[in-house]
Amino acid sequence: MKNIVILISGRGSNMEAVVRALDAEGWPARIAAVISNKPEAKGLEFARARGIPTAVVANKEYATRAEFDAALQETIDRFEPDLVVLAGFMRILTAPFVEHYAGRMLNIHPSLLPLYPGLGTHQQAIDAGDREHGATVHFVTAELDHGPIVAQARVPVLPGDTEDTLSARLLVEEHKLYPYAVRLFVEDRLEIDNGDVRILAPAEPTSI
Ligand code: GRF
């Protein structure tokens, strides 16, 4: 049984998709906690309503990034996570924090990385005239929105698309992609090899 801690900053729809898939598909895992850096994050309400333990570590109460990350790490580790899932967690993380969770922290980013790290990805795809846009789940490394790629989902960019229409189309795919990737981790099917992720075949069902 793996412990998952999910970090959010807002709406939390990707967190919700992971929680629902875990429950519906009976993964060998449980959501140990949902933690937000914003007390008003909408996603906290969903987690509380499901009886999931929640915590808030408000970044504005800390003078430096290092102090905040240290407090966050302490809170996360109380829940003994096997995996930390960043789901719309809008913070740049310090290197020691990232190092502490090396190989056990995933992020979802709304672009086909390595294209468009950072913010404003949907508009960038539109402005560049891209025919295709997408989302990426990757292991978190010290460099923002980099790190070994687990899986990507693609959507077309359609004529007349705005940031809103494109992000809404992509979000539907994110809600399938992130549960898929987290489940692979939970089932021990991800191996990082020289910066690349290998997806292992599912374990054979054991017979007696
Ligand atoms: C998603 O688009 C995700 O890819 C990005 O931030 C957004 C979070 O949305 N990292 P939500 O909070 O999961 O609804």
Side-chain angles (χ1 to χ4, degrees), residues 55-101:
V56 173
V57 184
N59 56 278
K60 62 169 199 267
E61 287 172 17
Y62 296 85
T64 65
R65 227 174 247 295
E67 285 170 75
F68 169 71
D69 279 6
L72 180 62
Q73 181 175 317
E74 199 185 303
T75 304
I76 294 170
D77 285 351
R78 274 200 262 127
F79 297 98
E80 303 183 346
D82 298 290
L83 174 66
V84 176
V85 170
L86 307 184
F89 188 62
M90 305 303 282
R91 293 283 306 172
I92 291 174
L93 301 165
T94 58
F97 180 91
V98 171
E99 226 5 82
H100 181 69
Y101 299 107

Side-chain angles (χ1 to χ4, degrees), residues 90-170:
M90 305 303 282
R91 293 283 306 172
I92 291 174
L93 301 165
T94 58
F97 180 91
V98 171
E99 226 5 82
H100 181 69
Y101 299 107
R104 55 186 180 120
M105 182 155 65
L106 293 174
N107 181 42
I108 187 163
H109 181 74
S111 82
L112 292 171
L113 290 174
L115 282 177
Y116 317 135
L119 298 174
T121 58
H122 311 296
Q123 194 58 51
Q124 286 188 68
I126 292 168
D127 292 347
D130 293 348
R131 308 270 301 268
E132 211 175 37
H133 184 44
T136 304
V137 175
H138 64 96
F139 281 98
V140 178
T141 54
E143 200 181 344
L144 179 70
D145 297 328
H146 280 69
I149 291 175
V150 177
Q152 293 186 310
R154 291 163 191 273
V155 294
V157 181
L158 301 177
D161 257 339
T162 63
E163 201 171 356
D164 284 353
T165 58
L166 184 55
S167 64
R169 186 176 312 122
L170 183 59

Side-chain angles (χ1 to χ4, degrees), residues 10-15 87-88 90 107-110 171 174:
R11 179 175 59 182
S13 69
N14 279 289
M15 173 271 295
M90 305 303 282
N107 181 42
I108 187 163
H109 181 74
L171 197 61
E174 291 185 39

